[in-house]
Amino acid sequence: MSNQSTTSSQLFALLEGTWEGEGRGGYPTVNSFDYHETLIFMRRDEKTLAYDQRTQKRYDGQTEYLVSHWENGFIRILDNDELELVNTQSNGRGEVLVGTIETLDSLLRIHFVSKVLTNDSRVVSSARTFELEGETMRYEMEMQTTEVNRLTHHLKITLHPIK
């Protein structure tokens, strides 16, 4: 994968709007679950994109989705052309992640790695990857906790824009 220049305008134009999808989550210390997510990206200025992420989950064996997770944050283009994702979550955790943009033909990959985690002593590190290809967004999250001593898969979802 080559590291080609993608401007903030191009990046934000691709992300901007409302995305919805279904995914699967799990972790060695929790029961597996299906989840539904709505992810809204809103442009604030040339270098800042706000987002709102709302998630409902359904544990294996359940028939109804229950409100699970809500986070708000910003993706910023930094002066060194890296990205910064800053968020606060409904469980009290805050994160600052730094990232890079990679492009290959029609695929755009944004990979974030945690720099600062606050208000949750269980989480040691986290990583998030967004892949955009046409009208499909794939999102994955990994985390390392005090009980699982390496970055380990937690979430995977495919989302599509709502028109």
Side-chain angles (χ1 to χ4, degrees):
M1 181 147 307
S2 65
N3 208 3
Q4 300 174 353
S5 176
T6 299
T7 68
S8 60
S9 294
Q10 291 168 325
L11 173 67
F12 292 173
L14 292 170
L15 290 174
E16 218 171 347
T18 301
W19 299 76
E20 285 190 351
E22 305 291 326
R24 184 83 175 147
Y27 201 69
T29 58
V30 299
N31 293 327
S32 296
F33 55 92
D34 294 319
Y35 70 103
H36 174 83
E37 190 159 272
T38 302
L39 184 55
I40 303 169
F41 291 101
M42 302 155 285
R43 187 178 219 142
R44 302 322 272 171
D45 58 43
E46 284 189 27
K47 291 194 168 209
T48 309
L49 190 69
Y51 79 93
D52 182 81
Q53 181 181 27
R54 297 185 189 207
T55 306
Q56 298 173 314
K57 69 181 169 184
R58 178 181 62 203
Y59 286 107
D60 291 350
Q62 289 182 322
T63 56
E64 292 183 39
Y65 282 96
L66 304 172
V67 173
S68 169
H69 180 82
W70 184 2
E71 71 181 54
N72 297 93
F74 298 92
I75 297 174
R76 299 184 319 134
I77 305 292
L78 303 177
D79 291 338
N80 63 3
D81 290 330
E82 285 188 333
L83 298 175
E84 178 181 70
L85 187 152
V86 178
N87 70 50
T88 56
Q89 301 173 23
S90 56
N91 62 6
R93 181 170 53 240
E95 297 180 328
V96 177
L97 301 98
V98 292
T100 56
I101 304 169
E102 297 176 302
T103 56
L104 178 64
D105 298 325
S106 63
L107 177 72
L108 173 68
R109 178 178 294 140
I110 308 164
H111 183 69
F112 291 100
V113 178
S114 61
K115 180 177 167 183
V116 177
L117 296 162
T118 60
N119 209 29
D120 188 343
S121 60
R122 301 168 301 163
V123 180
V124 175
S125 67
S126 67
R128 298 174 183 224
T129 301
F130 294 87
E131 289 185 344
L132 292 160
E133 192 165 24
E135 298 230 334
T136 300
M137 178 190 300
R138 290 178 293 279
Y139 168 75
E140 293 187 31
M141 185 204 179
E142 299 175 305
M143 62 183 182
Q144 175 183 349
T145 66
T146 53
E147 294 183 36
V148 179
N149 196 21
R150 62 179 171 76
L151 278 175
T152 302
H153 170 77
H154 177 46
L155 303 170
K156 184 175 185 176
I157 190 167
T158 300
L159 303 110
H160 298 285
I162 301 302
K163 300 189 183 213

